[in-house]
Amino acid sequence: MLLKKTANIWAPILIILVMVGLTVLNYNLDQQIQLHDQFAARWNAARSWMSEGWSPYSEETRQATLEVLNDNNSLPNQRDQGYFLDPAWYIYLLIPISFIRYPIAKAIWMMLTQASIIVSVLVSIRLSGIKLKGIEIFLTCLVIALIYPFVRASLEASLAPFAIMMTLLAIRAALEGKGNQSGLLFLLAIWFNPLAFFTLIFLAIYLGSRRDNEMIRIFMIGFAFLLVTSLILFPNWIPEWFASLVRLEPGIDWLNTPLMGIARAFPGAYRQIAIGLHLFAFIMLLVEWYGLGSRNERGVQWKLMLTLIVSYFFNLFSDGAYLLLALPAFFAIFKYLTEKWTVSGKILYWISILIIAYLSWRLVPDPLGGFPQAHAVTISLIPFVVFVGLQYFRWWALASPRALVESNN
């Protein structure tokens, strides 16, 4: 009872202590493990612009990034090779942390990445509607944070978990009628998580059917504002940005979605199968979105879960961090299971989550040796099983207003 009454005092203190502890731990880990760094190019682009006036896309900025990486036992990210490849307005986001010395700034961003993963789990639980006790939520957050692709993302200081967190928060805000907040969150998330476009369209259709266009209006106004201000501050950034992208990836060989990974099982017809799978997934979404405004809350929730899991399969680089997008659908499956079989559903829930965590590490040979990409089973098969499970409960979600088989029977 005393703990509940004093929660407003000890809870913030505990959170601050955990954040400081994680930052110290990350700082020490970063000094000992050599990894591909996703933060240095962004941090240095903001710092070089503020201190030297260099363009974020210039060769001077890139050389400064490589020097930072060399001095801090890190490797350039395989995709950017030390170049800043984001739209110029993302410099705004990084300016505050660019004043902090690089090793500490990276440790702080790693901590923020880890916090983003936890928040994504919590929001996914809320979106799915699964009922878990406090201790179950705590253990769920702990186990999921230790899944291999998420550990890899946090140690590489990836921005993907941060963007996915903002995407999930934007969804929740939109469903709660907070259109302004949702539009701003989507605006920040859309570049680092381009898969958010699918959810943005889904919500635009759903909210539009209810005469609520606030989210899209704020999104478009915010985009115009960022574009104009970035052109004022960085007059030549668009051609410089495209030049950097073309320099590193002149073709489309960099595309590597999970659906393309599935298609590679059939090398003789790889191209045709890959194109067919992407078209099928996109058409499926269009069919499911039809008549969205006439659905009840339970039906809209199921279609939202389907949109998130299908959009995951368009993951451009098969980055395991985007598995966070599959979490709401994963939790939704066990929500339907526990509606029908409370005890058995909970047992299956914990067995599944522990098996996924174990396999995510077990399937990767020498996982700590440079932190390789997650195994295809983790990236493709597990989300596919979640997709199939969601389809299995389709009628249950869309046509059944409640559990037809009560747990006490």
Side-chain angles (χ1 to χ4, degrees), residues 156-169:
E156 290 187 344
S158 170
L159 270 72
F162 187 70
I164 293 171
M165 176 195 70
M166 289 191 290
T167 302
L168 296 175
L169 288 171

Side-chain angles (χ1 to χ4, degrees), residues 139-151:
L139 292 175
T140 296
C141 291
L142 180 62
V143 174
I144 290 179
L146 294 176
I147 290 177
Y148 174 74
F150 303 147
V151 173

Side-chain angles (χ1 to χ4, degrees), residues 50-276:
M50 292 293 293
S51 61
E52 305 291 341
W54 294 342
S55 166
Y57 309 98
S58 68
E59 188 62 30
E60 294 89 349
T61 301
R62 189 218 179 192
Q63 291 301 320
T65 299
L66 295 178
E67 290 177 9
V68 168
L69 290 168
N70 185 61
D71 294 341
N72 290 276
N73 191 40
S74 296
L75 300 172
N77 181 258
Q78 292 177 326
R79 179 170 178 253
D80 62 45
Q81 295 298 311
Y83 286 101
F84 179 73
L85 299 181
D86 302 324
W89 58 75
Y90 283 102
I91 292 290
Y92 307 159
L93 179 66
L94 296 158
I95 285 176
I97 203 168
S98 69
F99 291 102
I100 303 173
R101 196 166 62 90
Y102 175 75
I104 299 175
K106 183 180 179 183
I108 293 173
W109 196 268
M110 290 164 67
M111 179 271 296
L112 293 176
T113 301
Q114 292 154 351
S116 300
I117 293 170
I118 298 300
V119 174
S120 296
V121 176
L122 295 174
V123 179
S124 297
I125 291 172
R126 179 68 64 88
L127 290 174
S128 69
I130 188 173
K131 295 180 180 179
L132 297 174
K133 297 178 181 178
I135 186 63
E136 291 176 318
I137 293 175
F138 172 78
L139 292 175
T140 296
C141 291
L142 180 62
V143 174
I144 290 179
L146 294 176
I147 290 177
Y148 174 74
F150 303 147
V151 173
R152 180 178 187 261
S154 64
L155 292 180
E156 290 187 344
S158 170
L159 270 72
F162 187 70
I164 293 171
M165 176 195 70
M166 289 191 290
T167 302
L168 296 175
L169 288 171
I171 295 169
R172 181 180 172 186
L175 295 177
E176 292 177 350
K178 302 174 182 176
N180 291 344
Q181 180 181 338
S182 178
L184 290 174
L185 288 168
F186 270 121
L187 182 66
L188 293 173
I190 211 78
W191 170 254
F192 298 115
N193 177 25
L195 308 183
F197 269 115
F198 291 103
T199 312
L200 182 66
I201 295 171
F202 172 92
L203 291 171
I205 295 171
Y206 174 65
L207 296 175
S209 67
R210 285 159 169 72
R211 303 295 190 271
D212 183 358
N213 299 310
E214 195 69 20
M215 179 191 70
I216 289 297
R217 186 176 69 85
I218 292 299
F219 178 83
M220 298 304 296
I221 292 174
F223 177 77
F225 171 79
L226 291 176
L227 182 62
V228 170
T229 56
S230 63
L231 286 172
I232 293 172
L233 295 175
F234 310 93
N236 298 317
W237 78 263
I238 293 180
E240 291 178 348
W241 176 47
F242 274 108
S244 297
L245 291 175
V246 172
R247 183 188 300 116
L248 292 173
E249 300 289 353
I252 60 172
D253 295 336
W254 52 271
L255 279 174
N256 182 31
T257 68
L259 291 177
M260 295 171 72
I262 294 173
R264 288 193 183 93
F266 309 93
Y270 161 71
R271 185 182 297 273
Q272 293 84 351
I273 292 176
I275 294 174

